[in-house]
Amino acid sequence: MSLTRRQVTSAAIAAVPSAARSPKRHRTLYIAGDSTAAQKYADAAPETGWGMALPLFLREDLAVADHAVNGRSSKSFLDEGRLDAVLSAIRPGDVLIVQFAHNDEKVTDPARYTEPWTTYQDCLRRYVDGARSRRARPVLATPVERRRFDADGNAVPTHGDYPAAMRALAEAERVPLLDVEALSLALWQRLGVEETKTYFNWTATEQDNTHFNPPGAIAVARLVARELLRTRVLARPDVVRLGGDVPTSWITWPPATSS
């Protein structure tokens, strides 16, 4: 009796010891960004980057590699070789989420400053091209908004032309865009002047309108997860708890690392 091609193939696969078969590699979401997304440590608690909360909205086999660092701009992150470090680790099918602008805006600091429609876009293209060169998927995320209200209690934008420049680049390069700036501004508007204080790093000794505490980080991470789903970077089975409660006790800060 002759064997069909399917039977031969099935028999060959079955003959390979299970230990020798390549296990399915799960995807990793890399984050390149600034302090609003970065991992915080015990000495900075309760300050919390939204990257710390993002895994709470992803299925367990989707890992998050948070490379965001306090104080970095799209330029300084590149100049310090941090994108190179990400690209040395990233693999085909992984995702690189890029969020910068807070420090790109620092006009008096040449190590960090970029101009929205020229050097900022030029820097962002290097992240896009780098991810694509590794057959990973680049994703641009507009910068999360600060807590700022006008005299009438309206949440006001603080990032100038940077979000518009990123939106334009995303369209030109056909890159998925997570519009975190617009969504966070709308969220702060809905919460209002007083309630937003419970989302930012307001403590007895500090009134920080840029960085988050656990509720704020969770809220922004939820926005990011929803945008990853909307833009089809992730599929519906990839995300969890979008409409559910995420206790702040799930946020933890590792011990501070030595410098």
Side-chain angles (χ1 to χ4, degrees):
M1 180 179 68
S2 62
L3 296 176
T4 66
R5 181 179 297 178
R6 177 176 295 179
Q7 287 170 322
V8 171
T9 302
S10 298
I13 293 173
V16 177
S18 59
R21 299 176 197 167
S22 298
K24 181 179 178 182
R25 196 187 72 81
H26 299 302
R27 283 180 297 167
T28 298
L29 278 69
Y30 288 80
I31 301 173
D34 54 41
S35 58
T36 60
Q39 172 69 56
K40 311 296 180 180
Y41 296 89
D43 59 346
E47 185 176 323
T48 312
W50 63 256
M52 297 168 62
L54 185 58
L56 305 179
F57 295 98
L58 306 177
R59 71 175 193 231
E60 290 185 0
D61 60 358
L62 277 174
V64 173
D66 191 350
H67 286 250
V69 181
N70 290 7
R72 271 50 177 193
S73 70
S74 64
K75 179 182 184 297
S76 64
F77 195 95
L78 289 170
D79 291 343
E80 293 172 4
R82 295 181 185 277
L83 176 60
D84 291 337
V86 171
L87 296 181
S88 70
I90 205 166
R91 295 293 180 264
D94 287 343
V95 174
L96 174 59
I97 302 172
V98 182
Q99 181 210 253
F100 290 104
H102 283 81
N103 299 299
D104 290 73
E105 302 166 4
K106 298 184 184 299
V107 179
T108 59
D109 186 350
R112 293 188 285 183
Y113 175 67
T114 61
E115 194 280 329
W117 298 101
T118 55
T119 47
Y120 179 60
Q121 289 186 329
D122 291 341
C123 287
L124 293 178
R125 282 192 187 92
R126 292 179 59 182
Y127 294 85
V128 170
D129 293 344
R132 285 175 168 166
S133 73
R134 302 304 196 275
R135 291 188 291 143
R137 189 170 191 184
V139 175
L140 296 176
T142 54
V144 62
E145 268 300 348
R146 302 178 176 95
R147 177 186 173 274
R148 185 173 297 175
F149 291 85
D150 64 19
D152 296 320
N154 297 308
V156 296
T158 67
H159 293 299
D161 282 346
Y162 290 90
M166 180 181 279
R167 293 181 189 111
L169 180 67
E171 182 176 3
E173 296 290 336
R174 298 182 181 275
V175 176
L177 177 83
L178 317 181
D179 206 346
V180 181
E181 188 268 344
L183 292 171
S184 58
L185 186 67
L187 177 59
W188 309 149
Q189 177 67 40
R190 186 166 70 251
L191 293 171
V193 174
E194 291 304 316
E195 191 172 353
T196 47
K197 292 177 183 178
T198 66
Y199 284 66
F200 284 79
N201 190 32
W202 275 53
T203 67
T205 58
E206 187 171 13
Q207 296 179 352
D208 184 344
N209 293 311
T210 298
H211 303 100
F212 309 110
N213 61 13
I218 289 169
V220 175
R222 193 189 303 269
L223 297 179
V224 172
R226 284 175 175 162
E227 285 287 271
L228 289 168
L229 181 59
R230 180 189 64 80
T231 56
R232 299 184 180 181
V233 174
L234 298 181
R236 187 64 188 88
D238 295 329
V239 296
V240 296
R241 304 185 188 93
L242 283 184
D245 180 50
V246 175
T248 57
S249 60
W250 290 1
I251 297 290
T252 59
W253 298 264
T257 57
S258 57
S259 56

